[in-house]
Amino acid sequence: MTHGCFKELPAISRWFKRSHQQDQPLKLDLSYLEQFGDAIVPLELNSNSDFHPDQQNTPFHRSEAPLSIFLRWAESADAHSPQRLYLAQASISDLPEQLRNDLPTPKFVSDAGKGDIYDTNLWLGVAPTYTPLHRDPNPNLFVQLAGRKIVRLLPPEAGQEIFSAVVAALGRDASTIFRGDEMMHGDEKRLLEDQIWCDRDAGKSSGFPGHETSLSSGDGLFIPKGWWHSIKGVGAGITGPQKDMGYDIADYKAIDKLYGTIDDVDQLIVELKSRDMKLMMDLVHEWFLSSRSSRDSDKRNWYIWKPPSGYDDDGNPLPPNNWSQLLGEANSAWTYDSITKEFFLSLFTPGQPDLNWENPDVRAAVHDVMCFWLERGACGYRMDVINLISKDQRFPDAPLALGRDKKYHPGGKYYVNGPRMHEYLREIHDKVLVKHNAITVGEMPVVSDIDEIIKTVGRNSGELNMIFIFDLVGIDDIPDQVRMTLQPWGVKDIRRIVNKWQRAMLDHDGWNSVFCENHDSPRSVSRYTDDSDKYRHKGAKLLALMQTTLCGTLFVYQGEELGMRNVPKSWDIEKEYKDIESINFWKKSKELYGGDPKRLAEERKVLEKKARDHARTPMQWSAEPNAGFCAESILPWMRVNDDYHEVNVEKQMALESKDDLSVWQYWQRGLANRQEHKDVFVYGDYQTVGAEGNDVFAYVRIGSQAGKWLVVLNFSGKEVEWDLPLDIRMKGWVAGNYQKGKPEKAVHGKVQLKPWEGILGNCIQ
């Protein structure tokens, strides 16, 4: 691995040349650190002098330079990664006093620098793989200039335009920004540049500040401009390694500087309340750095640590059991820590270790975090995968569901709705929620048992208000397999799932959440209907009609109200897909089926249909560059969907047609109708009607005041005839997704339906 960037840093270049022949490439010679141990090297930022052959071949002492670098060789915590140069740290005491006073206080000191305590982390070089706890979102190179924020070394291919833009945005002299080899692959520099641009002081942040310019006045769709990017920052606090787009947390009582400040949150809450809106937070967790520091740490038992179950023939430690990672089933759910020689449980990614809820101190800390934001004015919480908090303390091996040839298997049997989950939820309810009259929605995947769910969301359960039930968004998952699988489904399955949960909550005095999209699922118009240019807007309206007429609390995901669709199939997976689940899935697929083009194409179809990346493209505000989400000179975390010129907020809000409504306008009308007749559509009775066919799904809603309403949905791309049940008498059809006015349809006998057509009618009781 070459390190061309060191040519830009004379002192570092000299250090490398001391251990290499002049005519050889500048490669990292591991034997040098093994021979000399930790090296102290002067970093002369203002010097352009090159190496002198007669210079002594010895390490420097810190006192011999104004600013020196402490190089330490560290062992990787990832069993699959080679050892590598891990971290470089500079002692603040080495800086001149006038610069030392201006240096910002660091957020943490890496445990890699044992012995002397160094105050400022300077990332100088890492290998393409890196450990889960002390890393940057990408394996980039950094240098911190005295009194300045972190500046990245731009890749040589960045070009003068990007280089100049960085200089202008950061307000720095070009001489303080180095250019060199970043050791990045594909298009990872997008995320790098996004992090630079998300500096609030740069003046063009697309993150948190400025939210107030796009808040609704209360009579439209309540989705602020930049909502996803902003609220992820609010919910996530200080983010950690950013391996799962903000769900790996370092400080839950603060706001990541990429998104703004805690004052911005306070102001957002004020602005929301003035518009009769509220802010719901996202509950994840933190505290891991201390737990990892040593086996004697006071937070060691805050996470789940286990010794190796044994060692393989090469002496590598084996995980405690065979549970697979949820975002990459080819990997173990356990991560080995070379510092303390034990494994910690990390069901999702190594950067998201699982809390040990058996520890009462952990539960008390979670309660404290929840109270912190509720007392600042948040109205409640979405509780991330809350049904995975209790584990079977035996930690047994999972059944071999993926086949005997696989090392790891889904262990949900031993942690989904675990033995103490209800106890923990009741404790949260009693100690936190009732005191603040907070609203809650729990994310509870892999659970479909009505009795079990009613224990959580029943009126008198004393746990949560509602949960996200994943049956509909998991409609094409193969049972007992991982999420990234595909099975055939039809309208009968939609009918069965919707009927099951609408009736379950009405019959058992529970409460539903209503949704077709979230940040972990592909776009609904692509998944359940036809997202072609011909039918995209019809399919999006069909789903809007269904959701705005179902009982429960409706959740509309950003972009769903526009009919945003999956990214084009032509996109390069390795270049454009950023989600850790997609990366792991594609890596596994290539390893298993690289020599089988047909099977690899099938694996690609899974990503094209179900990758979480589809829901994570930037919001499409206008036909301007970057869909108006951010300035043209800014590269967002992910490429904007190619269709933003046609599918965007500005165009849909401005549509003036006597015959049709845009998807956004249709959602707005549907929400208004839902609010006007909430005794029917929010709280009323529900009954599936009509024959169980392969194309049409129909139901009636009955309210105490607004009467009886019929919804008919053609979930097929063909024209069909639907037989109106004899016991339903129609007053007339009042709305449909093909026209702005009332549909002209038969009120008895056979009803003609166009492809992906949905209609709403008022009935005679």
Side-chain angles (χ1 to χ4, degrees), residues 5 15 62 162 265 283 400 467 470 657 696:
C5 61
W15 179 79
R62 288 202 309 275
I162 292 179
V265 180
L283 183 65
L400 307 183
I467 69 169
F470 283 73
S657 170
V696 178

Side-chain angles (χ1 to χ4, degrees), residues 742-761:
K742 297 179 179 180
E744 296 181 0
K745 301 286 184 183
V747 294
H748 54 77
K750 295 185 180 298
V751 179
Q752 302 291 327
L753 296 171
K754 298 175 183 177
W756 309 110
E757 184 172 18
I759 51 178
L760 172 66

Side-chain angles (χ1 to χ4, degrees), residues 320-505:
N321 63 29
N322 69 347
W323 295 359
S324 61
Q325 189 184 109
L326 290 173
L327 297 183
E329 73 279 3
N331 305 316
S332 173
W334 298 86
T335 302
Y336 185 66
D337 175 43
S338 61
I339 296 175
T340 57
K341 309 301 182 185
E342 285 192 329
F343 285 90
F344 60 86
L345 183 63
S346 49
L347 289 176
F348 285 88
T349 73
Q352 296 167 280
D354 286 59
L355 281 171
N356 178 17
W357 283 70
E358 298 281 328
N359 184 343
D361 291 339
V362 167
R363 302 199 299 276
V366 172
H367 301 164
D368 178 63
V369 166
M370 296 181 73
C371 289
F372 175 83
W373 290 107
L374 292 171
E375 289 166 2
R376 297 193 82 92
C379 71
Y381 285 97
R382 169 198 176 268
M383 303 171 77
D384 194 48
V385 288
I386 197 64
N387 63 327
L388 308 188
I389 60 178
S390 175
K391 279 79 174 176
D392 185 327
Q393 293 301 293
R394 299 172 300 160
F395 294 95
D397 276 345
L400 307 183
L402 303 182
R404 293 186 174 276
D405 60 326
K406 301 296 190 296
K407 292 173 62 176
Y408 308 116
H409 302 267
K413 178 180 179 180
Y414 301 110
Y415 56 74
V416 173
N417 282 47
R420 300 184 66 187
M421 183 199 74
H422 293 293
E423 173 191 344
Y424 298 154
L425 292 180
R426 286 191 293 270
E427 188 177 49
I428 290 175
H429 178 272
D430 295 343
K431 294 186 176 182
V432 178
L433 303 177
V434 293
K435 297 178 180 179
H436 296 88
N437 192 30
I439 184 174
T440 52
V441 55
E443 185 188 30
M444 286 194 169
V446 203
V447 180
S448 293
D449 181 76
I450 293 175
D451 292 336
E452 178 66 15
I453 287 176
I454 292 299
K455 291 179 184 177
T456 299
V457 301
R459 181 185 294 272
N460 299 314
S461 69
E463 295 187 13
L464 305 179
N465 295 120
M466 68 195 105
I467 69 169
F468 290 126
I469 298 170
F470 283 73
D471 288 11
L472 189 58
V473 295
I475 194 170
D476 48 7
D477 296 352
I478 296 178
D480 301 320
Q481 297 289 309
V482 295
R483 192 186 78 85
M484 295 299 283
T485 54
L486 285 173
Q487 70 168 354
W489 61 273
V491 69
K492 291 182 179 179
D493 297 296
I494 295 180
R495 173 188 173 119
R496 169 182 53 80
I497 292 168
V498 172
N499 181 71
K500 173 182 176 179
W501 292 110
Q502 288 287 295
R503 288 305 327 160
M505 297 306 172

Side-chain angles (χ1 to χ4, degrees), residues 64-350:
E64 297 176 350
L67 175 61
S68 57
I69 298 299
F70 172 85
L71 297 171
R72 176 171 290 279
W73 182 245
E75 183 178 338
S76 171
D78 184 349
H80 301 289
S81 300
Q83 291 184 331
R84 76 273 190 235
L85 177 62
Y86 184 70
L87 180 65
Q89 296 178 302
S91 173
I92 285 182
S93 62
D94 294 328
L95 296 175
E97 183 176 359
Q98 67 271 26
L99 297 180
R100 187 163 65 240
N101 294 336
D102 293 335
L103 197 65
T105 303
K107 295 190 179 305
F108 66 87
V109 177
S110 170
D111 61 4
K114 295 180 178 178
D116 290 340
I117 300 300
Y118 291 85
D119 308 284
T120 304
N121 292 332
L122 302 172
W123 294 74
L124 294 175
V126 297
T129 54
Y130 43 94
T131 62
L133 298 176
H134 300 98
R135 64 187 177 193
D136 188 68
N138 289 292
N140 305 324
L141 301 176
F142 295 72
V143 61
Q144 178 156 355
L145 305 177
R148 302 282 189 168
K149 296 180 181 179
I150 290 177
V151 180
R152 300 164 190 263
L153 300 178
L154 296 176
E157 67 272 20
Q160 185 61 38
E161 182 178 354
I162 292 179
F163 182 77
S164 300
V166 171
V167 172
L170 295 177
R172 305 205 177 152
D173 184 271
S175 64
T176 66
I177 300 178
F178 298 98
R179 303 175 71 180
D181 179 8
E182 281 218 61
M183 297 183 295
M184 293 193 303
H185 301 284
D187 205 27
E188 290 181 357
K189 63 178 179 290
R190 284 183 179 275
L191 185 55
L192 173 150
E193 289 154 357
D194 173 56
Q195 303 240 344
I196 290 179
W197 298 122
C198 283
D199 177 353
R200 183 184 180 189
D201 297 325
K204 293 185 177 181
S205 170
S206 59
F208 194 69
H211 54 78
E212 65 280 351
T213 62
S214 302
L215 295 178
S216 167
S217 61
D219 57 359
L221 291 180
F222 310 137
I223 302 179
K225 188 172 184 178
W227 179 269
W228 185 90
H229 201 55
S230 301
I231 301 307
K232 274 303 293 292
V234 174
I238 293 293
T239 56
Q242 282 277 10
K243 286 297 288 180
D244 194 17
M245 292 193 171
Y247 276 86
D248 31 6
I249 307 305
D251 182 353
Y252 206 83
K253 288 186 177 180
I255 298 300
D256 195 303
K257 65 181 180 180
L258 298 180
Y259 305 103
T261 68
I262 200 165
D263 292 335
D264 294 321
V265 180
D266 293 339
Q267 183 62 27
L268 173 61
I269 292 173
V270 169
E271 296 290 343
L272 288 170
K273 286 184 176 180
S274 71
R275 294 163 171 81
D276 197 24
M277 299 166 68
K278 297 180 180 180
L279 175 66
M280 180 181 286
M281 303 292 284
D282 204 351
L283 183 65
V284 203
H285 55 255
E286 49 162 71
W287 305 295
F288 190 72
L289 292 179
S290 176
S291 177
R292 183 177 183 254
S293 62
S294 77
R295 294 192 185 188
D296 298 325
S297 166
D298 60 353
K299 287 187 171 61
R300 183 68 174 182
N301 196 37
W302 285 43
Y303 289 83
I304 300 170
W305 292 90
K306 298 290 179 184
S309 61
Y311 297 85
D312 63 19
D313 294 340
D314 296 324
N316 298 312
L318 300 174
N321 63 29
N322 69 347
W323 295 359
S324 61
Q325 189 184 109
L326 290 173
L327 297 183
E329 73 279 3
N331 305 316
S332 173
W334 298 86
T335 302
Y336 185 66
D337 175 43
S338 61
I339 296 175
T340 57
K341 309 301 182 185
E342 285 192 329
F343 285 90
F344 60 86
L345 183 63
S346 49
L347 289 176
F348 285 88
T349 73

Side-chain angles (χ1 to χ4, degrees), residues 476 489 517 522-532 536 539-540 543 563-567 608-609 614 641 643 756:
D476 48 7
W489 61 273
E517 282 190 27
R523 291 295 183 178
S524 56
V525 70
S526 300
R527 191 173 202 180
Y528 305 110
T529 69
D530 182 346
D531 68 358
S532 67
R536 179 197 59 82
L543 294 170
M564 282 179 61
R565 51 191 160 192
N566 285 359
V567 304
E608 291 172 349
K609 288 181 177 291
H614 298 301
N641 200 317
D643 64 4
W756 309 110

